[in-house]
């Protein structure tokens, strides 16, 4: 299988052929594109902590800083066994595109620790979070690179990292991390923002395409922060969420599911498999949920879940990507051939980093916004991004991904030129 980063490079190649027409100086344009194809910096560290049983354990960790022409680097830190150099390179590039498309003043970055969180206690994860913040303290900062939560990381982890970072640098700097607890300068509305904005995209798309929410069946793969809030807001907006999965498998009910109830059950029983067994829900596999005959499929977990092995079997008419990079380049070719539409990740899940931007801006000014203001501003940003992507796609007969990538790559190239790039 093509690597994740290579998939992203193929997207850049595809867009640069189209974008080249906008620039007279082709040589400079080509040089800039080859610069954008390489993250500016990749930092790798081995982190060692003492486990609860007194043994020393080491972990590989990373931070890829892709391009900071538009502003400081910005992007999450994930804790997952799949974390590797290729993955952070790909994800940092997608972050640059996402921030550019959202119209927020950042470049992209991404970090991670290769760890199976289920095997470690809270105390061990706290040590690991602090070890990461200490090791990377030289490379991050409110005007340098601003981390945030990602897969398996949350507000508590940001709080531990902030504490360790501030200790290392010797001053307070809440704007260095976003997605913090409210008590430490986190923003109201940040936690729900990714899911909320995904549903803004869903609603705008439904309006344009005249979809009736109560007749629109949705399957959501993933029940972390993003999957949960997306499902909840989709249901609250009248859509029919008929299947949701966690890593153990999926629960299916043709009449529609109640995500909040599932969340309570998940707390009680631990996994969807256990919920299905105890509460009598229909249970299907994580592969099967992707192949359900729904109107809209929402991958909201990991990358590359829609790939050349299952692309031909996808029956949903629309894929709304809430995960980063859930569809591989090859799979996309098959989906497009089968007349599927894809609402791309850099548009659909940009609400998280947009709310992070609001948090950062509040911290730098020492003020705090009401939840109403955060949500109103989020809606403005996401609807604006959606409309630009939708109208460019219709005008130029681009797919939504091509339109989104075109707009974001153009802003990055322009920023590099304005800074005086010389070829
Ligand atoms: N991890 C989230 C993402 O992939 C949020 C990043 C941020 O807020 O910086 O978009």
């Amino acid at each position: 299988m093509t690597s994740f980063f290579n998939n992203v490079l193929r997207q850049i190649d595809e867009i640069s052929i189209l974008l080249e027409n906008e620039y007279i100086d082709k040589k400079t344009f080509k040089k800039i594109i080859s610069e954008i194809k390489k993250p500016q910096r990749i930092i790798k560290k081995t982190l060692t902590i003492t486990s609860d049983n007194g043994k020393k354990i080491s972990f590989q960790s990373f931070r890829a800083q892709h391009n900071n022409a538009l502003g400081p680097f910005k992007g999450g830190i994930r804790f997952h066994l799949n974390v590797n150099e290729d993955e952070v390179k790909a994800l940092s590039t997608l972050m640059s595109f996402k921030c550019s498309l959202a119209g927020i003043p950042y470049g992209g970055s991404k970090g991670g620790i290769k760890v199976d969180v289920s095997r470690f206690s809270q105390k061990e994860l706290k040590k690991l979070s602090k070890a990461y913040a200490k090791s990377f303290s030289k490379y991050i900062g409110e005007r340098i690179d601003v981390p945030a939560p990602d897969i398996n990381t949350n507000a508590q982890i940001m709080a531990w990292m902030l504490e360790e970072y501030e200790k290392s640098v010797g001053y307070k700097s809440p704007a260095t991390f976003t997605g913090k607890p409210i008590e430490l300068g986190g923003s109201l509305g940040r936690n729900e923002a990714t899911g909320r904005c995904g549903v803004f995209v869903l609603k705008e798309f439904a309006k344009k395409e005249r979809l009736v929410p109560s007749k629109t069946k949705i399957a959501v793969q993933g029940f972390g922060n993003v999957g949960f809030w997306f499902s909840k807001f989709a249901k609250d907006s009248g859509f029919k969420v008929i299947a949701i999965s966690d890593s153990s498998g999926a629960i299916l009910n043709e009449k529609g599911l109640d995500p909040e109830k599932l969340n309570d059950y998940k707390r009680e029983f631990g996994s969807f498999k256990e919920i299905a067994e105890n509460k009598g829900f229909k249970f299907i596999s994580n592969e099967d949920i992707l192949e359900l005959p729904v109107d809209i499929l929402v991958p909201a977990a990991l990358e590359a879940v829609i790939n050349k092995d299952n692309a031909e079997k996808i029956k949903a008419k629309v894929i709304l990507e809430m995960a980063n990079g859930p569809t591989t380049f090859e799979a996309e070719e098959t989906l497009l051939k089968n007349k599927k539409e894809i609402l791309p990740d850099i548009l659909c899940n940009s609400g998280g980093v947009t709310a992070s931007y609001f948090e950062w801006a509040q911290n730098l000014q020492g003020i705090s916004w009401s939840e109403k203001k955060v949500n109103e501003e989020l809606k403005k940003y996401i609807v604006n991004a959606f409309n630009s992507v939708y109208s460019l796609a219709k005008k130029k007969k681009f797919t939504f991904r091509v339109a989104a990538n075109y707009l974001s790559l153009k802003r990055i190239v322009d920023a590099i030129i304005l800074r005086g790039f010389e070829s």
Side-chain angles (χ1 to χ4, degrees), residues 74-76 95 98 110 148-150 190 324 352-353 356:
K74 182 88 192 78
M95 279 311 298
K98 193 187 300 187
K110 186 74 83 176
D150 198 88
R190 169 65 184 87
N324 289 313
V353 72
S356 277

Side-chain angles (χ1 to χ4, degrees), residues 5-20:
F5 185 57
N6 277 325
N7 263 308
V8 174
L9 294 183
R10 285 169 77 172
Q11 289 183 39
I12 299 180
D13 286 336
E14 181 188 35
I15 303 307
S16 29
I17 296 168
L18 300 167
L19 196 57
E20 196 179 333

Side-chain angles (χ1 to χ4, degrees), residues 322-369:
M322 291 302 291
N324 289 313
T327 312
T328 67
F329 197 86
E330 282 110 345
E332 180 142 359
E333 287 173 342
T334 307
L335 294 172
L336 295 175
K337 181 192 82 200
N338 292 342
K339 304 268 178 293
K340 311 293 183 193
E341 298 208 88
I342 304 167
L343 291 161
D345 47 3
I346 62 164
L347 169 68
C348 299
N349 72 27
S350 64
V353 72
T354 304
S356 277
Y357 163 51
F358 300 157
E359 179 175 335
W360 177 80
Q362 291 168 69
N363 293 157
L364 290 178
Q365 295 169 78
I367 58 165
S368 59
W369 292 2

Side-chain angles (χ1 to χ4, degrees), residues 105-125:
Y106 297 126
S109 56
K110 186 74 83 176
I113 305 180
K114 186 176 171 61
V115 54
D116 176 357
V117 284
S118 67
R119 293 187 43 229
F120 296 93
S121 68
Q122 280 297 101
K123 203 171 150 201
E124 289 165 329
L125 291 177

Side-chain angles (χ1 to χ4, degrees), residues 95-222:
M95 279 311 298
S96 289
F97 282 27
K98 193 187 300 187
C99 295
S100 170
L101 181 67
I104 57 179
Y106 297 126
S109 56
K110 186 74 83 176
I113 305 180
K114 186 176 171 61
V115 54
D116 176 357
V117 284
S118 67
R119 293 187 43 229
F120 296 93
S121 68
Q122 280 297 101
K123 203 171 150 201
E124 289 165 329
L125 291 177
K126 178 178 175 184
K127 284 186 190 164
L128 193 55
S129 305
K130 291 199 168 217
Y132 186 95
K134 193 172 178 183
S135 277
F136 288 82
S137 61
K138 267 210 297 280
Y139 310 100
I140 60 176
E142 60 189 33
R143 305 281 179 185
I144 305 169
D145 183 358
V146 181
D150 198 88
I151 291 172
N152 291 329
T153 53
N154 54 27
Q156 175 61 76
I157 289 177
M158 294 305 110
W160 290 329
M161 289 192 174
L162 174 70
E163 169 63 15
E164 193 62 32
Y165 174 77
E166 290 181 339
K167 224 195 261 169
S168 297
V169 294
Y171 53 85
K172 296 289 177 195
S173 178
T176 297
F177 291 86
T178 60
K180 300 179 293 295
I182 305 298
E183 295 81 346
L184 297 179
S187 177
L188 293 166
R190 169 65 184 87
N191 194 35
E192 305 87 326
T194 317
R196 183 184 295 280
C197 286
V199 173
F200 284 144
V201 170
L202 172 65
K203 280 160 64 176
E204 292 303 308
F205 181 75
K207 257 193 255 165
K208 297 262 193 223
E209 306 282 318
R210 298 183 202 289
L211 303 177
V212 179
S214 61
K215 292 194 179 129
T216 304
K217 288 187 187 174
I218 300 182
V220 181
Q221 192 220 23

